[in-house]
Coordinates of all heavy atoms in Angstrom, one line a residue:
I529 N 107.8 110.9 75.1 CA 108.3 109.6 74.6 C 107.5 108.5 75.4 O 107.2 108.6 76.5 CB 109.8 109.4 74.7 CG1 110.3 109.9 76.1 CG2 110.5 110.1 73.6 CD1 111.8 109.7 76.3
G530 N 107.3 107.4 74.7 CA 106.6 106.2 75.3 C 106.5 105.1 74.3 O 106.9 105.3 73.2
C531 N 105.9 104.0 74.7 CA 105.7 102.9 73.8 C 104.3 102.4 74.0 O 103.6 102.6 75.0 CB 106.6 101.7 74.2 SG 108.4 102.1 74.2
G532 N 103.8 101.8 72.9 CA 102.4 101.1 73.0 C 101.4 102.1 73.4 O 101.3 103.3 72.9
T533 N 100.5 101.7 74.4 CA 99.4 102.5 74.8 C 99.9 103.8 75.4 O 99.3 104.9 75.3 CB 98.6 101.7 75.8 OG1 98.0 100.6 75.1 CG2 97.6 102.6 76.5
S534 N 101.1 103.8 76.1 CA 101.6 105.0 76.7 C 101.9 106.1 75.6 O 101.8 107.3 75.8 CB 102.9 104.7 77.5 OG 102.5 103.9 78.6
W535 N 102.4 105.6 74.4 CA 102.6 106.5 73.3 C 101.3 107.1 72.8 O 101.3 108.3 72.5 CB 103.3 105.7 72.2 CG 103.7 106.5 71.0 CD1 104.7 107.4 70.9 CD2 103.0 106.5 69.7 NE1 104.7 107.9 69.6 CE2 103.7 107.4 68.9 CE3 102.0 105.8 69.2 CZ2 103.3 107.6 67.5 CZ3 101.6 106.0 67.9 CH2 102.3 106.9 67.1
H536 N 100.3 106.3 72.8 CA 99.0 106.9 72.4 C 98.5 108.0 73.4 O 98.0 109.0 73.0 CB 97.9 105.8 72.4 CG 98.1 104.8 71.3 ND1 97.6 103.5 71.3 CD2 98.8 104.9 70.1 CE1 98.0 102.9 70.2 NE2 98.7 103.7 69.5
I577 N 106.3 108.7 79.4 CA 105.1 108.1 79.9 C 105.3 106.5 79.9 O 105.7 105.9 78.9 CB 103.9 108.4 79.0 CG1 103.8 109.9 78.8 CG2 102.6 107.9 79.6 CD1 102.7 110.4 77.8
S578 N 105.0 106.0 81.0 CA 105.1 104.5 81.1 C 104.3 104.0 82.3 O 104.4 104.4 83.4 CB 106.6 104.1 81.3 OG 106.7 102.7 81.6
Q579 N 103.4 103.0 82.0 CA 102.6 102.4 83.1 C 103.6 101.7 84.0 O 103.6 102.0 85.2 CB 101.6 101.4 82.5 CG 100.7 100.8 83.4 CD 101.2 99.7 84.3 OE1 101.0 99.7 85.5 NE2 102.0 98.7 83.8
S580 N 104.4 100.8 83.5 CA 105.2 99.9 84.4 C 106.4 100.7 84.9 O 106.9 100.3 86.0 CB 105.8 98.7 83.6 OG 106.6 99.2 82.5
G581 N 106.9 101.7 84.2 CA 108.1 102.4 84.6 C 109.3 101.6 84.3 O 110.4 101.9 84.8
E582 N 109.2 100.5 83.6 CA 110.3 99.6 83.4 C 110.6 99.3 81.9 O 111.5 98.6 81.6 CB 110.1 98.2 84.1 CG 109.9 98.3 85.6 CD 111.0 98.8 86.4 OE1 112.2 98.9 85.8 OE2 110.8 99.2 87.5
T583 N 109.9 99.9 81.0 CA 110.0 99.6 79.6 C 111.4 100.0 79.1 O 111.8 101.2 79.3 CB 109.0 100.3 78.8 OG1 107.7 99.8 79.2 CG2 109.1 100.0 77.3
A584 N 112.2 99.0 78.6 CA 113.6 99.2 78.3 C 113.9 100.4 77.4 O 114.7 101.2 77.6 CB 114.2 97.9 77.8
T586 N 112.0 103.0 76.7 CA 111.7 104.3 77.3 C 112.8 104.7 78.3 O 113.2 105.9 78.4 CB 110.3 104.3 78.0 OG1 109.4 103.7 77.1 CG2 109.8 105.6 78.4
L587 N 113.2 103.8 79.1 CA 114.3 104.0 80.0 C 115.6 104.5 79.3 O 116.2 105.5 79.7 CB 114.6 102.8 80.9 CG 115.5 102.9 82.1 CD1 114.9 103.9 83.0 CD2 115.6 101.5 82.8
V603 N 105.9 110.2 83.8 CA 104.5 110.0 84.2 C 104.3 108.4 84.2 O 104.2 107.8 83.2 CB 103.5 110.6 83.1 CG1 102.0 110.2 83.4 CG2 103.6 112.1 83.1
C604 N 104.4 107.9 85.4 CA 104.4 106.4 85.6 C 103.3 106.0 86.5 O 102.8 106.8 87.3 CB 105.7 106.0 86.3 SG 107.2 106.4 85.3
N605 N 103.0 104.7 86.4 CA 102.0 104.2 87.4 C 102.7 103.5 88.6 O 102.3 103.7 89.7 CB 101.1 103.2 86.7 CG 99.9 102.8 87.5 OD1 99.5 103.6 88.4 ND2 99.5 101.5 87.4
V606 N 103.7 102.7 88.3 CA 104.4 102.0 89.3 C 105.4 102.9 90.1 O 106.3 103.4 89.6 CB 105.1 100.7 88.8 CG1 105.8 100.0 89.9 CG2 104.1 99.8 88.1
I611 N 111.9 104.1 85.7 CA 111.7 105.3 85.0 C 111.3 106.4 86.0 O 111.8 107.6 85.8 CB 110.6 105.1 83.9 CG1 111.2 104.2 82.8 CG2 110.2 106.5 83.3 CD1 110.2 103.8 81.7
E626 N 97.9 97.2 87.4 CA 97.2 96.7 86.2 C 97.7 95.3 85.8 O 98.9 95.2 85.5 CB 97.5 97.7 85.0 CG 96.5 97.6 83.9 CD 96.7 98.6 82.8 OE1 97.8 98.6 82.2 OE2 95.8 99.4 82.5
G628 N 95.9 92.9 83.7 CA 95.6 92.5 82.3 C 96.7 93.1 81.4 O 97.1 94.2 81.6
V629 N 97.2 92.3 80.5 CA 98.3 92.7 79.7 C 97.9 93.9 78.8 O 98.6 94.9 78.6 CB 98.9 91.6 78.9 CG1 99.8 92.1 77.7 CG2 99.7 90.7 79.8
A630 N 96.6 93.9 78.3 CA 96.2 95.0 77.5 C 95.8 96.2 78.4 O 95.0 96.0 79.3 CB 94.9 94.6 76.7
S631 N 96.5 97.3 78.2 CA 96.4 98.4 79.1 C 95.0 99.1 78.9 O 94.6 99.4 77.8 CB 97.5 99.4 78.7 OG 97.7 100.3 79.7
T632 N 94.4 99.4 80.0 CA 93.1 100.1 80.0 C 93.1 101.3 80.9 O 93.2 102.4 80.5 CB 91.9 99.1 80.3 OG1 92.2 98.5 81.6 CG2 91.7 98.1 79.2
A634 N 95.4 102.3 82.8 CA 96.6 103.0 82.8 C 96.5 104.2 81.8 O 97.0 105.3 82.0 CB 97.8 102.1 82.4
Q638 N 96.7 108.1 82.7 CA 97.8 108.8 82.1 C 97.2 110.1 81.4 O 97.8 111.2 81.6 CB 98.5 108.0 81.0 CG 99.4 106.9 81.5 CD 99.8 105.9 80.4 OE1 99.3 105.8 79.4 NE2 100.8 105.1 80.8
E712 N 94.3 103.6 69.6 CA 94.3 102.8 70.8 C 93.2 101.7 70.7 O 93.4 100.6 71.1 CB 94.1 103.7 72.0 CG 93.9 103.0 73.4 CD 95.1 102.2 73.8 OE1 96.1 102.2 73.2 OE2 94.9 101.4 74.8
L715 N 94.6 99.0 68.5 CA 95.6 98.3 69.3 C 94.9 97.3 70.2 O 95.3 96.1 70.3 CB 96.5 99.2 70.0 CG 97.6 98.6 70.9 CD1 98.6 97.8 70.1 CD2 98.3 99.6 71.8
K716 N 93.9 97.7 70.9 CA 93.2 96.8 71.9 C 92.7 95.6 71.2 O 92.8 94.5 71.7 CB 92.0 97.5 72.6 CG 92.3 98.5 73.7 CD 93.0 98.0 74.9 CE 94.4 97.9 74.8 NZ 95.4 98.9 75.1
E719 N 95.5 93.3 70.0 CA 96.2 92.6 71.1 C 95.5 91.4 71.7 O 96.1 90.4 71.9 CB 96.4 93.6 72.3 CG 97.5 94.6 72.2 CD 97.6 95.5 73.4 OE1 96.5 96.1 73.8 OE2 98.6 95.7 74.0
P829 N 97.3 87.7 76.5 CA 97.3 87.4 75.0 C 98.7 86.8 74.6 O 99.7 87.1 75.2 CB 97.1 88.7 74.4 CG 97.0 89.7 75.4 CD 97.2 89.1 76.8
L832 N 102.6 88.5 74.0 CA 102.8 89.9 74.6 C 103.3 89.7 76.1 O 103.2 88.7 76.7 CB 101.5 90.6 74.6 CG 100.9 90.9 73.2 CD1 99.5 91.6 73.4 CD2 101.8 91.8 72.4
A833 N 103.7 90.9 76.6 CA 104.1 90.9 78.0 C 103.7 92.2 78.6 O 103.6 93.2 77.8 CB 105.6 90.8 78.1
K834 N 103.4 92.2 79.8 CA 103.0 93.5 80.5 C 104.1 94.5 80.5 O 103.8 95.7 80.4 CB 102.5 93.1 81.9 CG 101.8 94.2 82.6 CD 100.4 94.5 82.1 CE 99.9 95.8 82.6 NZ 98.9 96.3 81.6
S835 N 105.2 94.0 80.8 CA 106.3 95.0 81.0 C 107.5 94.5 80.1 O 108.0 93.4 80.3 CB 106.7 95.0 82.5 OG 107.8 95.8 82.7
V836 N 107.8 95.3 79.1 CA 108.8 94.9 78.1 C 110.2 95.4 78.5 O 110.5 96.6 78.2 CB 108.4 95.3 76.7 CG1 109.4 94.8 75.6 CG2 107.0 94.8 76.4
T837 N 110.9 94.6 79.2 CA 112.2 95.1 79.7 C 113.4 94.7 78.8 O 114.5 94.8 79.2 CB 112.5 94.5 81.1 OG1 112.3 93.1 81.1 CG2 111.5 95.1 82.1
Ligands
G6P49 C1 103.7 96.5 76.5 C2 102.3 96.4 77.0 C3 101.5 97.6 76.6 C4 102.1 98.9 77.1 C5 103.6 99.0 76.5 C6 104.3 100.1 77.2 O1 103.7 96.4 75.1 O2 101.7 95.2 76.6 O3 100.2 97.5 77.2 O4 101.4 100.0 76.6 O5 104.3 97.8 76.8 O6 104.5 99.8 78.5 P1 104.7 100.9 79.6 O7 104.7 100.1 80.9 O8 106.0 101.6 79.4 O9 103.5 101.8 79.6

Side-chain angles (χ1 to χ4, degrees):
I529 48 177
C531 300
T533 292
S534 295
W535 181 74
H536 292 159
I577 309 174
S578 174
Q579 186 284 130
S580 62
E582 301 297 344
T583 301
T586 313
L587 190 56
V603 174
C604 297
N605 189 33
V606 178
I611 292 172
E626 194 178 62
V629 166
S631 193
T632 52
Q638 284 166 346
E712 176 61 9
L715 177 66
K716 286 293 84 91
E719 280 180 309
L832 297 178
K834 188 73 194 151
S835 174
V836 182
T837 53

